[in-house]
Amino acid sequence: MVAVAREGASVELDPFRISAIADSRAVVDKALSAGHPIYGINTGFGQLSDIPIAADQLEQLQVNLLRSHAVGVGEPLRVDEVRAMILLRANSLARGVSGVRLELIQFLIEFLNRGVHPVVPSQGSVGSSGDLAPLAHMALVLVGEGQALYQSQWLSGAEALDRAGLQPLTLQAKEGLALINGTQLMAGVGALVLHDALALMEAAETAAAVSIDALMGTSAAFHAAIQEARGQPGQIASARRLRALLEGSEIGQAHRKSDHKVQDAYSLRCAPQVFGAVRDAIEYVRQVIGREVNAATDNPLVFAGEGEIISGGNFHGQPVALALDVLGLGLTQLGNFSERRTYKLLSPQESGLPAFLTKNPGINSGLMITQYTAAALASENKVLAHPASADSIPTSAGQEDFNSMGAAAAMKARRICDNVATIIAIELICAAQGLDFRRPLRSSAPVERAHSQVRAIVPELDEDRSLSREIQDLAAAVIAGQFGARLLSELPA
């Protein structure tokens, strides 16, 4: 999914799904011919579901649905987030239980392959009748309305289709509803944040290892027996990785038999416990998102084997909302934990290093204010970590009386994730500078590789300079996974 969303990889429809798609559509056509009332197909929507729609108005009903629901506001979603939405909506419809035509799914795939990206406002979903407003903005472009980005130009939907060599699609009964009734904003954004969270998890452990040596901490608390005595799987995995990152460090060996204190502060000593809890939280989120990206989440669903069209509630975003709130909280803890080590690195009474890691204090402030930025972002995250899913508000005149707020959970998790990447980047800058003050002693090969990667982006701070751009560049490298598992490979230092 990430390759399609961020790298523009092409998409093809699995041919084995074609017959199931056709069979489900046949059930819809048969029900229409029989004149049975079916929610959203020949009735109104939500509180208006008891109003029948005449056969000659069914196509207009679907277009009006998109127009009336396209009321999103706020900053547009990023292109990768829009591509993730399109991909997941096509994948869901291709399950063959949504009652749409093959042409509709192929049209969504053409959007991805030709680079037609609807402009989708980020706000307006309550995450329960699906991500209705955002998906409506996405779907309007299929019928030649709305707005889209095509080849970096912001165009009307009709102009974008024309330039891409596509003709507007005429929707048939149920197809407008099938396009917007699902969890694809929260699941798509959530999947991208989850991907980045995995990179942050490893980068946070790497940054901690660099800080531990810069602070002349001990790895004794990472002993395998301690972790096994508790039995938490994330803790065991994090301790194993920390041991591997620090294996062979001259700095660790240099003070092992000295008068160095036998216990470090929690931000060093309890690294496996804190990182492990976040690892376990991420694994829970991975399982939920992994199921959701392959789920059928519209309503009603069409079961060709039984010849039935059944109304249900798979559009409700509660599973995803809870998971993304957990993800946001876990990432917030990564940021909080990292900021505490940055504080220690810059405090001479705690680190034994020069104040603010500058060789000439007074005339130079060194890295003093980087901790302010980390603290500001960490505190912002504490506000953002409040669970969106703790709230609900009724909509549609009470018909939809309990909503998940999953879209809000997804957008908060994205912002937290970006903030944490910056906080970890700041720790890496400070830890690398601290390591420079420990020369001529060397750390382990993985930590030295991490140091080199920091220095490729952020040169050693000899005299004061603005670090804003360098912090952002390093945060991008953190998100890109440059401080992850590859540091433990056999690549030359």
Side-chain angles (χ1 to χ4, degrees), residues 95 99 189 256 307 333 336 418 454 478:
R95 287 283 305 271
V189 173
R256 183 162 292 178
Q333 297 293 4
N336 293 345
D418 291 342
V454 173
V478 166

Side-chain angles (χ1 to χ4, degrees), residues 95-158:
R95 287 283 305 271
V97 292
S98 297
V100 302
R101 293 168 298 154
L102 177 63
E103 292 89 334
L104 176 65
I105 301 168
Q106 290 174 324
F107 208 101
L108 290 171
I109 292 172
E110 286 302 316
F111 271 22
L112 295 170
N113 291 343
R114 301 192 192 200
V116 178
H117 302 134
V119 175
V120 179
S122 58
Q123 294 173 289
S125 172
V126 295
S128 289
S129 291
D131 291 314
L132 293 173
L135 285 167
H137 283 277
M138 179 200 79
L140 268 180
V141 180
L142 277 78
V143 300
E145 299 185 20
Q147 295 178 310
L149 282 170
Y150 181 70
Q151 295 182 343
S152 301
Q153 288 187 277
W154 195 323
L155 307 169
S156 70

Side-chain angles (χ1 to χ4, degrees), residues 213 245-254 256 442-445:
D213 261 6
L245 285 165
L246 291 164
E247 180 66 30
S249 168
E250 291 180 7
I251 298 173
Q253 292 293 334
R256 183 162 292 178
R442 307 282 292 178
S443 186
S444 64

Side-chain angles (χ1 to χ4, degrees), residues 212 218-224 226-227 239 242-243 246 268-269 271-272:
I212 285 165
T218 176
S219 61
F222 309 152
H223 194 287
I226 295 175
Q227 323 314 318
L242 288 165
R243 291 194 303 272
L246 291 164
L268 279 64
R269 185 180 8 137

